[in-house]
C-alpha cells in the first residue's frame, strides 16, 4: 500500500499577512451587520388583527376590504372606509362563511352569468365608476389600477357577496308569509302619507305585489340581523389590535334588500324624491 504525503500549498511571501487582514475585515463587517440588524426595528410585512373561531384576520385583509369598498354603492367613494368598520364587515362575513360550511348548504354558488351581470351593473351604473368610463375596457383597467384592484379580485369579491346573499335568501326567506292585513296596514300607514295633497294615489291592488316584497325583505333583514347577532355572541371573536377594539355602529354584512324604500308612482313603480 502506498501512502501519499499530503499536498501542501505554499503561499507567496506577504500573502499570509494579506489573507489574515482580509479575514479580520470580513469578520468586522459581519459583526457590524449583525449589530445593525439586531438594533434596527423589525420590518413588519403583515400582522394578525383579529381571530374569529381560530380563523386569523390579517392587517392586509383590512387593506383589501378598504380598497374593495369603492365597489359598494352605499359607501361614499370620497371617504375611506374606517378600519374598524372594515374589520366588522370581515368578521361578519367570516362568521357567515363558517356557518355555510357547517350547514353544508347546497346550490348557493352563483353562476358565472350572475357574476358577470353584477359586474356589468357596477361598470355601467356605479356613479364613481361611470364617471371614469368603466364601461370601456380602457376605462375599467384604469379604474382598477387607480384603486389598487385587479379584475380577478373583483370577480372573486362579487362571487363571494352573491353567495352570501343567496344563503340569506334561502335560509330566511322561505316560510315567511305576508298577510293581506299587513299589506293594507303598510298601504294606509306608510305609503299614502308619502303623497302630497292633489297627487294621484295608486289603488291598493296595483301596488300590493310591491308592498308584499317590501314587507318580505324587511322580515328577512330582521331575521338575519338577529341570527348574525347570535352568531357573534356564540362565536369566539378576539380583536388583537387595541385600536380596532371599539366596535363602530355599522351594518355588519350585505343585506338582501336596500332600505329605506322610496315612495311609489301612481303606476306602482318606485318614485324618487326630489
Amino acid at each position: 500500500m502506498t501512502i501519499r504525503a499530503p499536498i501542501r500549498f505554499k503561499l507567496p511571501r506577504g500573502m499570509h499577512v494579506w489573507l489574515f487582514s482580509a479575514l479580520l475585515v470580513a469578520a468586522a463587517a459581519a459583526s457590524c451587520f449583525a449589530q445593525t440588524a439586531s438594533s434596527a426595528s423589525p420590518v413588519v410585512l403583515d400582522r394578525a388583527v383579529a381571530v374569529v373561531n381560530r380563523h386569523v384576520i390579517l392587517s392586509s385583509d383590512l387593506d383589501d376590504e378598504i380598497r374593495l369598498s369603492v365597489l359598494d354603492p352605499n359607501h361614499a367613494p370620497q371617504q375611506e372606509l374606517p378600519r374598524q368598520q372594515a374589520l366588522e364587515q370581515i368578521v361578519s362575513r367570516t362568521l357567515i362563511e363558517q356557518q355555510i360550511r357547517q350547514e353544508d348548504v347546497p346550490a348557493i354558488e352563483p353562476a358565472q352569468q350572475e357574476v358577470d351581470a353584477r359586474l356589468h351593473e357596477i361598470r355601467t351604473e356605479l356613479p364613481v365608476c361611470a364617471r371614469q368610463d368603466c364601461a370601456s375596457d380602457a376605462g375599467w383597467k384604469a379604474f382598477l389600477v387607480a384603486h389598487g384592484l385587479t379584475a380577478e379580485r373583483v370577480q372573486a369579491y362579487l362571487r363571494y357577496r352573491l353567495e352570501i346573499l343567496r344563503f340569506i335568501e334561502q335560509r330566511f326567506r322561505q316560510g315567511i308569509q305576508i298577510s293581506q292585513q299587513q299589506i293594507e296596514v303598510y298601504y294606509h300607514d306608510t305609503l299614502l302619507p308619502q303623497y302630497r295633497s292633489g297627487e294621484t294615489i295608486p289603488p291598493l291592488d296595483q301596488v300590493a305585489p310591491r308592498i308584499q316584497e317590501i314587507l318580505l325583505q324587511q322580515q328577512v333583514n330582521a331575521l338575519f340581523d338577529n341570527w348574525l347577532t347570535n352568531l357573534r355572541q356564540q362565536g369566539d371573536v378576539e380583536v388583537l389590535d387595541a385600536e380596532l377594539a371599539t366596535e363602530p355602529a355599522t351594518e355588519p354584512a350585505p343585506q338582501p334588500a336596500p332600505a329605506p324604500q322610496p315612495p311609489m308612482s301612481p303606476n306602482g313603480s318606485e318614485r324618487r324624491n326630489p
Side-chain angles (χ1 to χ4, degrees), residues 15-92:
M15 184 64 74
H16 297 85
V17 177
W18 179 87
L19 182 58
F20 182 69
S21 300
L23 291 174
L24 287 178
V25 172
S31 175
C32 181
F33 176 80
Q35 291 177 3
T36 303
S38 61
S39 61
S41 300
V43 178
V44 179
L45 300 178
D46 209 346
R47 60 189 177 89
V49 296
V51 180
V52 182
N53 295 330
R54 295 185 290 182
H55 173 83
V56 178
I57 297 175
L58 302 174
S59 179
S60 58
D61 295 329
L62 300 188
D63 297 334
D64 188 47
E65 186 75 10
I66 292 172
R67 287 191 295 268
L68 288 166
S69 65
V70 72
L71 303 177
D72 187 353
N74 297 317
H75 179 71
Q78 66 273 15
Q79 299 178 354
E80 185 176 90
L81 183 70
R83 293 182 72 80
Q84 288 181 340
Q85 185 174 342
L87 176 61
E88 286 301 300
Q89 293 179 178
I90 296 175
V91 167
S92 297

Side-chain angles (χ1 to χ4, degrees), residues 200-226:
T200 303
I201 300 176
L204 174 61
D205 57 350
Q206 186 174 354
V207 296
R210 178 59 178 153
I211 293 176
Q212 183 180 26
E213 180 64 22
I214 292 173
L215 295 176
L216 180 62
Q217 294 293 351
Q218 287 178 351
Q219 291 198 29
V220 168
N221 290 344
L223 291 173
F224 170 71
D225 287 340
N226 292 334

Side-chain angles (χ1 to χ4, degrees), residues 134-179:
C134 292
S136 68
D137 291 340
W140 177 238
K141 291 178 181 179
F143 175 85
L144 294 177
V145 172
H147 295 281
L149 299 171
T150 64
E152 294 76 16
R153 183 65 188 94
V154 172
Q155 285 264 347
Y157 170 76
L158 295 179
R159 181 177 297 277
Y160 188 51
R161 288 183 65 89
L162 288 172
E163 182 177 306
I164 290 178
L165 292 177
R166 179 174 291 188
F167 168 75
I168 294 173
E169 290 289 324
Q170 287 189 6
R171 198 180 200 283
F172 301 104
R173 190 182 181 99
Q174 295 179 1
I176 297 179
Q177 299 294 331
I178 304 298
S179 66

